[in-house]
Amino acid sequence: MAADLLQPPSFLRPAETLSISQQAPHFFRAQRPSILPYPLSLLTNTESQGKWQTYENMLLACLRTGDNESAYVALEELTKRFGDDNERVQALRGLLLESTAKDNKDLEGVLKSYDDLLEEKPTNMPIRKRRVALLKSMGRTADAITALTELLDASPIDAEAWSELADLYLTQGSFSQAIFCLEEVLLVTPNAWNVHAKLGESIYLSASSTESDGDRLKALSEAMRRFCRSIELCDDYLRGFYGLKLTTNRLLEKLNKTSKPATASSNALAGDLAPPSLSSVQRLNELATSKLAEIVRRSSSGEKGWDGYDQAEVIAARELLDRDTQGVQR
Amino acid sequence: MHENLLRKDNKAPDIDTSKEENMGLLSYALNTFGLVLLTHAYVYHNKQSRKPLTHNHSVYSAYEHSLLPRATSAAPTSSSLLSSLNPKIDLPLDITIETLFSVLILCVGVVLGSPDLQPIQWRVWAGKLEREKAARSNEGGLVGNPYKALDERVGFLDIRAKRKEFAEWVREGDKAGQS
């Protein structure tokens, strides 16, 4: 259980979050400071490495389940320990206010308080991020994007913010901006296999929206390369293999249709690569199919050491494979 | 095609666990056997000692035995440094063989009984994180996927949407419980 408590609850499923928030009252009682006088109280000190992380996660879990009283207790403890002007505590306080806000007017009030805090100290990053999140939550996506680009101007190595901006652009359907943001994330964290996969997905989406045939081929091969990189960085990566299968399916259709394959790069000066050959795409497609089949098989038979996949993802992969076999049979 | 694969080796987990247990038992047996042999070699060695035993410390008496020839010889022919570097020990051959054999067995036992190695290749480590739930917990000093924070950004947590999602989950759970 302690392991779960050290992970932010947004990573967890609702049932797990509920079980954590139900422990909260008991947990706070156990963590209460001792009543012994000063030198003796050091002996019974409960402050450990993970304590305050646990408090923060408890607070987030309680907010998510709607247990505002326990959340308030946790926030009070954090304020007592780190002070009222701690930026992280301020952001958590804002989170509590946001989640207890009844209507839009309350939310405007919270937004106003964020603006006041930023007036006082413009480098307050947690609050700037909260402000963006609140704008997004209120449906003012354009404002959120503007605020976020300002934040990134000030701090261009914040991978989390670049990733959030990419997501915002994706919701707006501006693929090229989203792709740019994800590439920025990769500059900061070049080994993040999930970002490689996400970039592949974004390029795949942008390929569907382009008109010209050549551009689409280029985008699809680029997406394929991104997915290849993600599975190069991570064995048995379901998301990467799924994307690889999807893109190579599309690429095979495309390459089969075009009579003469372009062997040279379209724009060598810009560093563009030539589209992949038909045989290599075919081999990649076969690899992705066999790997997906293996993952689906082992995960659904509950094999030891294969329990980490999300069930929804496994079902989606199975459907993709089924669709493929039906196509072959017809 | 994967339908066939699905049916194949469903029994694999059972075989794996029994194999692991066997390995543990084997290494345990080897270690015990090796230790018994090693102790025996020292005790045996002790009995062979010509010097009367003053105490029961067997390892120490082996050392004493090694000093014996030098103590009995009338005059050391070479310098004392050389003789201490190259002591003349007349250990019976069976003791030597027994000692070497027991150490060999102990080595094999310890190697067999060692815990699984942690991955040192990036893709293997990352694949383990994706595949196994156990690898994601903080136990054993391994932290979970460090890049998950790029997918689920806590700094930009949309708490109102999360609350709504949770409330819906509760409502659906109620419905599922009733039906």
Side-chain angles (χ1 to χ4, degrees):
Chain A
M1 209 62 232
D4 283 351
L5 280 176
L6 285 173
Q7 282 180 6
S10 58
F11 292 4
L12 303 172
R13 278 191 280 275
E16 289 162 334
T17 318
L18 183 64
S19 81
I20 288 180
S21 95
Q22 276 166 348
Q23 293 172 38
H26 174 75
F27 173 78
F28 293 139
R29 224 174 300 132
Q31 292 287 326
R32 201 166 286 168
S34 68
I35 43 167
L36 295 169
Y38 163 64
L40 289 175
S41 67
L42 289 178
L43 295 174
T44 54
N45 199 347
T46 53
E47 183 148 344
S48 64
Q49 236 180 357
K51 180 179 177 181
W52 299 108
Q53 182 68 53
T54 312
Y55 262 92
E56 191 183 306
N57 291 336
M58 231 15 151
L59 168 61
L60 293 176
C62 291
L63 282 182
R64 200 171 157 194
T65 53
D67 184 358
N68 292 340
E69 288 82 29
S70 297
Y72 192 72
V73 173
L75 183 64
E76 283 300 295
E77 287 293 324
L78 284 167
T79 315
K80 222 188 281 171
R81 173 68 180 75
F82 296 103
D84 213 8
D85 52 353
N86 183 288
E87 296 174 358
R88 201 153 160 171
V89 172
Q90 281 175 346
L92 288 174
R93 185 177 299 279
L95 208 56
L96 183 75
L97 289 177
E98 274 177 46
S99 54
T100 47
K102 300 242 163 29
D103 49 17
N104 240 8
K105 224 179 108 201
D106 286 358
L107 286 179
E108 292 287 351
V110 179
L111 196 61
K112 180 84 195 11
S113 74
Y114 287 164
D115 285 336
D116 291 346
L117 279 172
L118 288 178
E119 193 103 330
E120 215 172 277
K121 191 179 175 193
T123 55
N124 194 338
M125 278 299 161
I127 289 290
R128 286 184 84 157
K129 288 188 175 181
R130 282 293 346 131
R131 185 163 171 269
V132 173
L134 181 56
L135 284 171
K136 182 187 165 198
S137 173
M138 288 161 75
R140 289 159 60 179
T141 315
D143 288 346
I145 289 177
T146 319
L148 198 48
T149 43
E150 276 166 20
L151 189 155
L152 281 168
D153 270 342
S155 155
I157 54 160
D158 192 335
E160 191 190 23
W162 277 116
S163 181
E164 175 76 15
L165 187 57
D167 241 21
L168 284 175
Y169 276 130
L170 275 185
T171 58
Q172 301 295 299
S174 356
F175 294 114
S176 54
Q177 282 92 334
I179 290 166
F180 176 83
C181 294
L182 287 172
E183 282 169 354
E184 287 290 329
V185 177
L186 283 179
L187 283 183
V188 183
T189 57
N191 284 351
W193 58 93
N194 54 355
V195 179
H196 277 285
K198 184 154 191 193
L199 182 52
E201 284 157 12
S202 308
I203 298 174
Y204 178 78
L205 283 176
S206 76
S208 324
S209 67
T210 50
E211 303 293 311
S212 112
D213 228 31
D215 279 355
R216 190 172 295 172
L217 183 65
K218 216 169 92 184
L220 279 176
S221 29
E222 175 70 17
M224 188 192 80
R225 292 193 178 106
R226 295 292 180 183
F227 284 123
C228 284
R229 180 70 181 141
S230 84
I231 54 181
E232 191 184 1
L233 284 168
C234 178
D235 279 349
D236 304 313
Y237 188 34
L238 180 55
R239 190 172 163 190
F241 280 114
Y242 188 92
L244 186 64
K245 170 107 181 109
L246 217 57
T247 35
T248 45
N249 277 353
R250 290 273 307 272
L251 259 178
L252 280 179
E253 281 172 24
K254 266 232 129 23
L255 288 173
N256 278 332
K257 252 189 269 171
T258 49
S259 49
K260 62 165 186 67
T263 45
S265 74
S266 51
N267 187 356
L269 272 181
D272 284 347
L273 292 168
S277 70
L278 187 63
S279 65
S280 65
V281 176
Q282 229 148 16
R283 276 189 11 240
L284 279 174
N285 191 8
E286 277 160 23
L287 174 77
T289 312
S290 66
K291 267 298 199 185
L292 277 181
E294 189 196 350
I295 291 171
V296 167
R297 181 188 85 225
R298 300 186 105 157
S299 164
S300 45
S301 68
E303 207 165 299
K304 193 168 161 263
W306 289 77
D307 55 354
Y309 292 110
D310 190 4
Q311 277 314 304
E313 284 181 11
V314 172
I315 291 168
R318 187 193 291 265
E319 271 170 13
L320 180 71
L321 287 171
D322 282 345
R323 224 186 305 153
D324 207 39
T325 44
Q326 275 168 11
V328 169
Q329 274 160 9
R330 257 190 277 123
Chain B
M1 167 219 168
H2 63 279
E3 286 297 320
N4 294 336
L5 295 174
L6 274 175
R7 245 171 273 134
K8 213 172 66 185
D9 54 67
N10 266 348
K11 288 277 180 235
D14 302 1
I15 298 163
D16 273 352
T17 48
S18 66
K19 196 177 149 200
E20 265 169 33
E21 269 167 26
N22 277 343
M23 288 293 261
L25 212 64
L26 184 66
S27 84
Y28 187 70
L30 280 180
N31 280 344
T32 318
F33 186 58
L35 275 177
V36 166
L37 275 190
L38 197 61
T39 329
H40 181 250
Y42 271 121
V43 172
Y44 186 63
H45 187 174
N46 232 347
K47 280 182 189 152
Q48 293 282 309
S49 160
R50 273 163 288 164
K51 206 179 172 187
L53 280 176
T54 48
H55 44 70
N56 288 329
H57 205 291
S58 57
V59 179
Y60 186 71
S61 61
Y63 169 69
E64 269 187 351
H65 183 98
S66 74
L67 292 180
L68 268 179
R70 202 176 47 164
T72 47
S73 64
T77 47
S78 53
S79 70
S80 64
L81 178 71
L82 199 65
S83 68
S84 70
L85 280 176
N86 185 19
K88 294 191 190 71
I89 306 166
D90 52 344
L91 273 180
L93 185 66
D94 53 348
I95 296 181
T96 317
I97 292 175
E98 197 179 13
T99 312
L100 286 179
F101 184 63
S102 64
V103 168
L104 195 73
I105 284 187
L106 267 179
C107 285
V108 173
V110 166
V111 168
L112 283 182
S114 64
D116 286 341
L117 300 177
Q118 295 292 340
I120 56 167
Q121 273 169 308
W122 184 280
R123 59 187 180 82
V124 178
W125 164 76
K128 211 171 152 159
L129 278 181
E130 287 293 326
R131 256 196 323 271
E132 287 179 41
K133 256 188 203 145
R136 286 180 206 162
S137 63
N138 292 12
E139 280 160 39
L142 283 171
V143 193
N145 184 349
Y147 299 116
K148 188 130 193 195
L150 293 176
D151 269 341
E152 321 218 1
R153 297 163 290 268
V154 183
F156 294 97
L157 182 68
D158 187 353
I159 192 67
R160 296 197 310 141
K162 285 274 177 199
R163 261 167 107 100
K164 223 173 273 169
E165 191 185 291
F166 184 81
E168 246 155 53
W169 175 78
V170 171
R171 222 173 298 136
E172 269 172 32
D174 281 351
K175 254 184 237 161
Q178 282 162 9
S179 59

